[in-house]
């Protein structure tokens, strides 16, 4: 596989967009911005339609015009969050894997993203939602499935002699390592320190190979 999957392929099918046209699209994005802010600031239990409408400064009916149900709002926010992350991953993992420093560029860029506290909090809340909602869980599994596929393709171009099972296993451990590190390096569940970061970088690079 020489190119990354469609960034939207791992997200739930979106409901037909309401308020078509430039202004409608801008209003829809503004509502999604407000929904993300509520999710990050208040967490899933407080993430209600009324709270999002209040944060956006609109009436509840206005929000429901664009997203008639809470489930549709959740799906739209999740689709946007995962699409943005997939778009960031795609150029890294579809680049020439034999270029000097290609593996280091992948790892350092992924780790640098973990310094964005807001992004990390957003993903923590998405994971928490996935634990309670089977639709969200399916979308998250799809995203990480695509992520693993991209890493496997990257490894295949670097190590065409390795068995496919070994390549997929390495890719799976790589994704687990990087994503698990995000909890600790973002200080959600731990603290970042230079010595641990150095070992993390070496371990991740070892999985991608020389």
């Amino acid at each position: 596989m020489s190119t990354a999957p469609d960034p939207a392929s791992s997200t739930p099918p979106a409901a037909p967009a309401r308020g078509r046209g430039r202004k409608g699209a801008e209003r829809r994005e503004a509502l999604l911005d407000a929904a993300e802010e509520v999710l990050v600031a208040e967490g899933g239990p407080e993430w209600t339609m009324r709270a999002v409408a209040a944060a956006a400064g609109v009436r509840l009916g206005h929000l429901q015009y664009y997203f008639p149900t809470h489930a549709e709002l959740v799906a739209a926010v999740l689709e946007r969050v995962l699409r943005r992350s997939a778009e960031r991953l795609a150029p890294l993992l579809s680049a020439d894997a034999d270029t000097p420093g290609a593996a280091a560029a992948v790892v350092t860029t992924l780790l640098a993203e973990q310094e964005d506290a807001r992004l990390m909090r957003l993903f923590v809340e998405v994971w928490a939602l996935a634990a309670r909602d089977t639709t969200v869980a399916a979308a998250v599994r799809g995203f990480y499935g695509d992520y693993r596929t991209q890493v496997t393709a990257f490894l295949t171009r670097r190590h065409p002699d390795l068995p496919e099972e070994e390549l997929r296993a390495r890719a799976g451990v790589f994704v687990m390592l990087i994503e698990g590190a995000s909890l600790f390096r973002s200080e959600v569940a731990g603290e970042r320190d230079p010595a641990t970061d150095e070992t993390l970088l070496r371990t991740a690079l070892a999985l991608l190979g020389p």
Side-chain angles (χ1 to χ4, degrees), residues 147-197:
Y147 185 175
R148 181 177 182 176
T149 296
Q150 292 177 56
V151 176
T152 301
F154 184 82
L155 283 168
T156 300
R157 295 194 300 276
R158 288 176 67 80
H159 307 287
D161 55 317
L162 289 179
E164 182 177 354
E165 183 178 355
E166 170 68 15
L167 293 168
R168 281 192 57 77
R170 282 197 192 191
V173 174
F174 178 85
V175 172
M176 292 176 191
L177 177 69
I178 296 296
E179 294 306 296
S182 68
L183 287 173
F184 291 88
R185 298 185 74 252
S186 63
E187 300 184 355
V188 173
E191 296 181 358
R192 188 186 315 161
D193 70 81
T196 301
D197 276 0

Side-chain angles (χ1 to χ4, degrees), residues 1 3-13 75-92 94 123 139-147 150:
M1 177 177 169
T3 58
D6 179 354
S9 64
S10 61
T11 57
V77 169
L78 181 63
E79 187 274 334
R80 195 171 72 153
V81 170
L82 296 185
R83 184 182 70 242
R84 287 196 305 246
S85 187
E87 287 170 349
R88 289 191 294 269
L89 282 171
L92 291 173
S94 62
F123 265 95
V140 171
R141 283 196 300 271
F143 168 76
Y144 284 113
D146 282 352
Y147 185 175
Q150 292 177 56

Side-chain angles (χ1 to χ4, degrees), residues 61-76:
H62 179 85
L63 175 63
Q64 290 174 322
Y65 173 77
Y66 290 91
F67 308 101
T69 67
H70 188 263
E72 289 179 62
L73 177 62
V74 170

Side-chain angles (χ1 to χ4, degrees), residues 111 177-178 181 185 195-205:
L111 295 182
L177 177 69
I178 296 296
R185 298 185 74 252
T196 301
D197 276 0
E198 184 179 344
T199 302
L200 172 63
L201 179 61
R202 287 201 309 268
T203 304
L205 287 173

Side-chain angles (χ1 to χ4, degrees), residues 19-94:
R20 293 183 182 280
R22 184 175 61 83
K23 286 187 177 180
E26 290 174 354
R27 289 168 182 159
R28 189 174 188 275
E29 287 299 301
L31 292 171
L32 292 176
D33 287 342
E36 282 190 19
E37 290 300 326
V38 173
L39 182 59
V40 169
E42 305 296 336
E46 305 301 323
W47 198 37
T48 65
M49 296 285 278
R50 289 189 183 279
V52 172
V58 301
R59 296 189 304 274
L60 178 60
H62 179 85
L63 175 63
Q64 290 174 322
Y65 173 77
Y66 290 91
F67 308 101
T69 67
H70 188 263
E72 289 179 62
L73 177 62
V74 170
V77 169
L78 181 63
E79 187 274 334
R80 195 171 72 153
V81 170
L82 296 185
R83 184 182 70 242
R84 287 196 305 246
S85 187
E87 287 170 349
R88 289 191 294 269
L89 282 171
L92 291 173
L93 295 173
S94 62

